[in-house]
Amino acid sequence: MLIRIPRGWEIPERDVTPEALVFGRRGALRAAAGLAAGGMAGPALAQDSPAPRNDRYPPGRAITAEKDATTYNNFYEFGTDKGVWRPAQKLPLRPWTLRVEGLVERPREFGVEELMRAMPLEERVYRLRCVEAWSMVVPWTGFPLAALLAQAGPKPEARYVRFETAALPAVMPGLRQSWYPWPYVEGCTIEEGLNDLSFLVVGAYGKPLPPQNGGPIRIHQPWKYGFKAGKSLVRISLVAERPKSFWEAIQPSEYGFWANVNPEVSHPRWSQATERVLGSGERIPTQIFNGYGEWVAGLYTGLQKERLWG
Ligand SMILES: Nc1nc2c(c(=O)[nH]1)N[C@H]1C(S)=C(S)[C@@H](COP(=O)(O)O)O[C@H]1N2
Ligand SMILES: [Mo]
């Protein structure tokens, strides 16, 4: 299979909003105000200094308006329509713990505040390409998954990373749809997880990550379709066997394990050649590996027989 590797993008500085630089006191105040308006106690932010922007992975497009990225979401635990941001406000973001376990030397439970204090927070402007053919560009705050895995110490037998997200029946009406294989599980190989692009996200637009986008902590691997980006994580396990993911369990003919973005491989029910830009509605060509091939194509050499796309 021919893999086209795009050149890294150039982005004029002016296309990147300067607004989201501070993820600290000011962000916390704004967030607390916003959450209070939504009827919830605001989470205390442990981080008092701005998270520096990492410009290594330029997004090549303008940042999506915050309002669009936070009011058009997929989060099936709260319902199947795009307006799940409303019911998602009921998700209690504190206290929140993330367990790192399985084939690791040091299994541990981390409080999310502790992670925000201890991990090297930075801001990255990443694209997200949903398998439904819409896309957005968001300034996320977070830290590389590799930094957390290094703390846990993967054992040599560990081959895959399994992500499990919260299942809280009291606040998640979607869980009553018992034909879905809850909890939402996703996974990747350990090599993919250690790639610097694999990012654990705790903030967006310089504020704590809102529940509808997967607060307080979610994974994002921008070269894969958005469904790989498990929201509101409670458990990361290192395992020997390939995890069976939520969408794969529902419809294996449509959603695979690898799910790398490829415009040339159609979804069985629609083309993946182009994508609708959230907000503007413009249609643009989709890029192989969502444009991140320069950094990830090498992960897949020798795997040409695998169903790497979609
Ligand atoms: N727990 C959970 N995580 C999830 C989903 C979900 O339904 N539940 N949907 C996925 C899909 S299909 C997409 S496209 C992205 C959307 O992320 P966003 O709402 O921040 O844009 O979240 C992913 N993570
Ligand atoms: Mo998606």
Side-chain angles (χ1 to χ4, degrees):
M1 183 175 302
L2 180 69
I3 298 181
R4 282 186 294 115
I5 302 178
R7 289 180 301 145
W9 294 296
E10 309 252 318
I11 182 173
E13 237 342 278
R14 65 175 186 280
D15 283 357
V16 178
T17 173
E19 161 197 278
L21 290 170
V22 179
F23 189 67
R25 276 196 199 96
R26 278 187 287 154
L29 287 175
R30 270 188 283 148
L35 285 166
M40 258 183 70
L45 255 192
Q47 186 86 1
D48 271 348
S49 52
R53 177 169 292 173
N54 177 343
D55 284 321
R56 207 175 313 141
Y57 310 111
R61 290 210 317 266
I63 285 177
T64 302
E66 182 180 355
K67 188 157 195 307
D68 293 320
T70 55
T71 58
Y72 185 92
N73 304 96
N74 277 331
F75 203 159
Y76 273 49
E77 287 84 337
F78 291 99
T80 51
D81 65 82
K82 295 291 186 280
V84 285
W85 66 272
R86 276 180 185 285
Q89 302 310 307
K90 291 221 168 76
L91 183 66
L93 300 185
R94 295 292 190 279
W96 192 280
T97 52
L98 173 63
R99 173 158 276 284
V100 183
E101 62 175 28
L103 300 171
V104 294
E105 303 294 345
R106 296 171 292 279
R108 252 203 70 182
E109 199 164 270
F110 295 87
V112 79
E113 257 111 9
E114 179 191 0
L115 288 174
M116 289 163 76
R117 230 179 0 254
M119 292 288 143
L121 289 194
E122 54 182 61
E123 185 178 72
R124 296 185 184 187
V125 184
Y126 271 176
R127 306 149 67 101
L128 184 149
R129 169 58 159 83
C130 175
V131 74
E132 299 163 336
W134 54 267
S135 69
M136 62 178 187
V137 181
V138 173
W140 307 105
T141 303
F143 55 91
L145 172 63
L148 184 60
L149 296 184
Q151 293 257 327
K155 291 185 175 170
E157 325 73 281
R159 294 191 52 211
Y160 295 94
V161 188
R162 178 184 183 274
F163 303 99
E164 184 179 318
T165 82
L168 302 168
V171 293
M172 294 173 160
L175 298 189
R176 277 181 243 138
Q177 302 189 303
S178 54
W179 56 91
Y180 286 118
W182 310 111
Y184 197 98
V185 166
E186 263 307 337
C188 66
T189 63
I190 195 146
E191 293 78 18
E192 291 177 315
L194 291 174
N195 185 279
D196 186 54
L197 278 170
S198 294
F199 202 49
L200 281 169
V201 175
V202 296
Y205 298 92
K207 305 169 194 175
L209 191 62
Q212 64 269 34
N213 292 103
I217 184 162
R218 64 104 57 94
I219 180 75
H220 189 26
Q221 298 175 302
W223 71 98
K224 293 177 175 286
Y225 288 113
F227 69 85
K228 298 296 291 181
K231 293 178 167 180
S232 307
L233 295 172
V234 292
R235 194 188 304 270
I236 294 179
S237 316
L238 293 199
V239 294
E241 306 294 330
R242 186 179 290 188
K244 168 77 65 79
S245 68
F246 182 82
W247 288 107
E248 215 187 343
I250 294 170
Q251 194 48 277
S253 64
E254 300 190 1
Y255 308 103
F257 168 76
W258 300 93
N260 297 311
V261 174
N262 186 341
E264 286 168 20
V265 178
S266 298
H267 184 277
R269 291 182 281 133
W270 59 84
S271 161
Q272 297 291 24
T274 62
E275 61 203 56
R276 178 173 57 87
V277 176
L278 216 61
S280 76
E282 185 194 354
R283 274 222 162 253
I284 59 168
T286 288
Q287 300 183 66
I288 193 160
F289 291 116
N290 201 19
Y292 295 92
E294 182 180 331
W295 297 283
V296 297
L299 289 167
Y300 306 102
T301 45
L303 291 175
Q304 278 79 357
K305 289 212 183 75
E306 295 270 336
R307 232 183 89 205
L308 292 171
W309 321 103

